[in-house]
Amino acid sequence: MKKSKDENTEGQILDAAKDVFQSKGMDGARMQEIADKAGINKAMLHYYYRSKQLLFEAVFKNAFSLLAPQLNTILNDDSSLEDKIKNFTMDYTTFMMKHPYLPNFIIQELNRNEDFILKLKENTGFPNLKKFKEKVADEINQGLIQPIDADQLFVNIIALNIFPFLGKPLIKAFTDKDEKAYKTFVEERKTEVSNFIINAIKKQ
Amino acid sequence: MKKSKDENTEGQILDAAKDVFQSKGMDGARMQEIADKAGINKAMLHYYYRSKQLLFEAVFKNAFSLLAPQLNTILNDDSSLEDKIKNFTMDYTTFMMKHPYLPNFIIQELNRNEDFILKLKENTGFPNLKKFKEKVADEINQGLIQPIDADQLFVNIIALNIFPFLGKPLIKAFTDKDEKAYKTFVEERKTEVSNFIINAIKKQ
DNA sequence: GTCTATAGCCAGATAGAC
DNA sequence: GTCTATCTGGCTATAGAC
C-alpha cells in the first residue's frame, strides 16, 4: 500500500499541518484551520502531537528531510563539476516547481529561530561540503576552472537556484510577468542558470 | 534638527514598530512589545496609527522605499553594464550589512500577501527595467557581452546579492561559519559576485 | 480514538479620566 | 496627548462523555 499516510489520522494531520504551516508560518497558522483541513477536530491534534510547537517541528523536520537529499546531487556524487551543476540546476528547479512553498518556509522559520538549525545538524544526513570542496580544489589544480573559493561557489549555485522561488512576487512585479510568464521564466532557468555558472568559472 | 523623528511620539512608534515587525513579522509581532520599546502605552499606538494593520503598512512602505533607490544603481544610470554590476554589488552589500533584517522582511511579507505589491506599484518610483533592458540589448549588439535575456540577467544579479542575507542561517550551517566568518564571507562577496557575473556574460 | 464543551489566557482595540 | 482600566474575541489546550 502506497498511501498509508492518508489512511490514518496521524498522517492526515501531518498533511494538513504541512499545508497550513508552509503557507502561513508558525505564528500565522491556526490549529482550527489544520483540524478543518484534516477533517477532524482540534482535540485530535493535541492527542497525536501534544502541542502546536511539536506539530510544527514534525512538519519542519519532514520538509527539511525532503530538501536535503536534493543537495546530494551537487555535494556527494562523483561526476565533474560541470555535470554536478547541470544536474543540480535541472533537478532542483523541477523539484521546486512541485513544492513552491518549501524554500520560503525553511528560510523563514530558520530566520525566526536560528537555534533550530542546531537540532538539524545533530541528525545524520545533514549536508556536508567536504567532497564538493575537494572536487573544486581538484578541478582548479587541473586547470579546468578558474580559482574560486568553494564556499562562494556553493552559495552562488544555491542562490541562483533558490532565489527565484523565494522572490517570486518581487520578480513578477519587477519583470511584469503574470503567473504563466513566470512559469515559463523559471522553466527556462533549468538550462540558463547552469550555463551562466559554467561560463563564470570555466578557464578561458 | 536631524532627529525630528525621535523627538515626537509618532516617530518613536514607527522606529519601535520597525524593529519588532522586521524581526518577528506581522503575525509574530505584539503591540505590547512595540509600545514598551517606544516607551509609551498600547493606547497610543491606536491613537496614532488606528490599527495593527495600518501601523504595519506604514513600516512596510517605509522599508520598501529604503530598498527601491538601491536598485536605481543598476537600472537607471548611464554607465556600462560592467560598471553597473560592480557598483551595485558593492553598494547593495554594504547597505544590507547595515540593514540585515530588511530583505527577509520584504520577501516574507510579500509572500504572505501577494496583493500587497500592487499597492507598491501604484507609487511613483517603483523600479522599472526599461533602461536596463535597452543597455543589455545594446551591449549584446556591440558584441561586448554574450546574448542573454535581460530578465534572466537581472534576476541572477539580485539573486547573488540578496540570497546571502536571506539564507544566512542556512549558509552558516552548511559552510560551518560562525558570525565572524560569515561577516568576512559577505565582505568578500562585494568583489567576488561582480567578478563572477562579469565572467559569466563577457564575450570570450 | 473521537467527539463536544469549556477552561484559561492573551491579544487588539476602546472608554474615559486627566 | 497620554494614561489606566477594561472589553471582546480568538487562540491553545484540556476535561470528560461516548
Side-chain angles (χ1 to χ4, degrees), chain A residues 93 97 182-191:
Chain A
T93 303
M97 289 178 86
Y182 168 80
K183 275 228 171 72
T184 308
F185 179 78
V186 171
E187 189 69 35
E188 282 166 357
R189 288 182 74 80
K190 286 183 183 175
T191 53

Side-chain angles (χ1 to χ4, degrees), chain B residues 19-68:
Chain B
D19 285 353
V20 176
F21 278 129
Q22 290 192 12
S23 62
K24 308 278 177 75
M26 170 65 178
D27 295 327
R30 294 292 162 255
M31 295 295 266
Q32 186 63 61
E33 190 180 349
I34 296 173
D36 292 347
K37 203 162 266 189
I40 43 92
N41 57 70
K42 274 198 295 179
M44 295 303 286
L45 301 180
H46 290 93
Y47 178 77
Y48 279 101
Y49 290 92
R50 184 139 194 97
S51 71
K52 185 184 182 184
Q53 180 63 30
L54 288 173
L55 177 52
F56 174 80
E57 288 180 18
V59 169
F60 188 86
K61 282 178 190 165
N62 225 286
F64 197 83
S65 73
L66 216 62
L67 200 66

Side-chain angles (χ1 to χ4, degrees), chain A residues 20 38 43-44 66 74 93 111 176-177:
Chain A
V20 176
M44 296 303 287
L66 216 62
I74 197 150
T93 303
N111 276 309
D176 256 313
K177 296 191 194 303

Side-chain angles (χ1 to χ4, degrees), chain B residues 5-153:
Chain B
K5 227 189 197 180
D6 296 356
E7 281 158 18
N8 60 41
T9 307
E10 196 171 339
Q12 285 174 306
I13 292 174
L14 204 63
D15 279 351
K18 188 200 68 184
D19 285 353
V20 176
F21 278 129
Q22 290 192 12
S23 62
K24 308 278 177 75
M26 170 65 178
D27 295 327
R30 294 292 162 255
M31 295 295 266
Q32 186 63 61
E33 190 180 349
I34 296 173
D36 292 347
K37 203 162 266 189
I40 43 92
N41 57 70
K42 274 198 295 179
M44 295 303 286
L45 301 180
H46 290 93
Y47 178 77
Y48 279 101
Y49 290 92
R50 184 139 194 97
S51 71
K52 185 184 182 184
Q53 180 63 30
L54 288 173
L55 177 52
F56 174 80
E57 288 180 18
V59 169
F60 188 86
K61 282 178 190 165
N62 225 286
F64 197 83
S65 73
L66 216 62
L67 200 66
Q70 298 294 316
L71 288 172
N72 286 329
T73 314
I74 196 150
L75 295 179
N76 292 324
D77 78 349
D78 287 312
S79 54
S80 68
L81 264 184
E82 182 162 341
D83 283 347
K84 280 172 188 280
I85 290 164
K86 276 185 182 161
N87 291 334
F88 175 71
T89 300
M90 182 65 72
D91 296 352
Y92 186 89
T93 304
T94 304
F95 178 76
M96 281 308 147
M97 289 178 85
K98 286 196 202 103
H99 306 272
Y101 283 117
L102 209 58
N104 195 56
F105 173 65
I106 303 275
I107 292 282
Q108 174 55 20
E109 300 301 332
L110 284 181
N111 276 308
R112 207 178 52 85
N113 181 5
E114 227 173 296
D115 297 337
F116 215 44
I117 205 151
L118 298 177
K119 285 190 196 170
L120 296 173
K121 286 191 91 169
E122 291 163 13
N123 288 9
T124 52
F126 188 87
N128 181 293
L129 266 65
K130 192 168 172 295
K131 253 191 116 175
F132 176 75
K133 286 187 180 182
E134 289 169 4
K135 192 74 190 170
V136 171
D138 188 39
E139 297 209 6
I140 291 173
N141 283 337
Q142 285 186 50
L144 296 171
I145 63 168
Q146 297 184 35
I148 185 169
D149 177 64
D151 286 342
Q152 296 283 2
L153 177 58

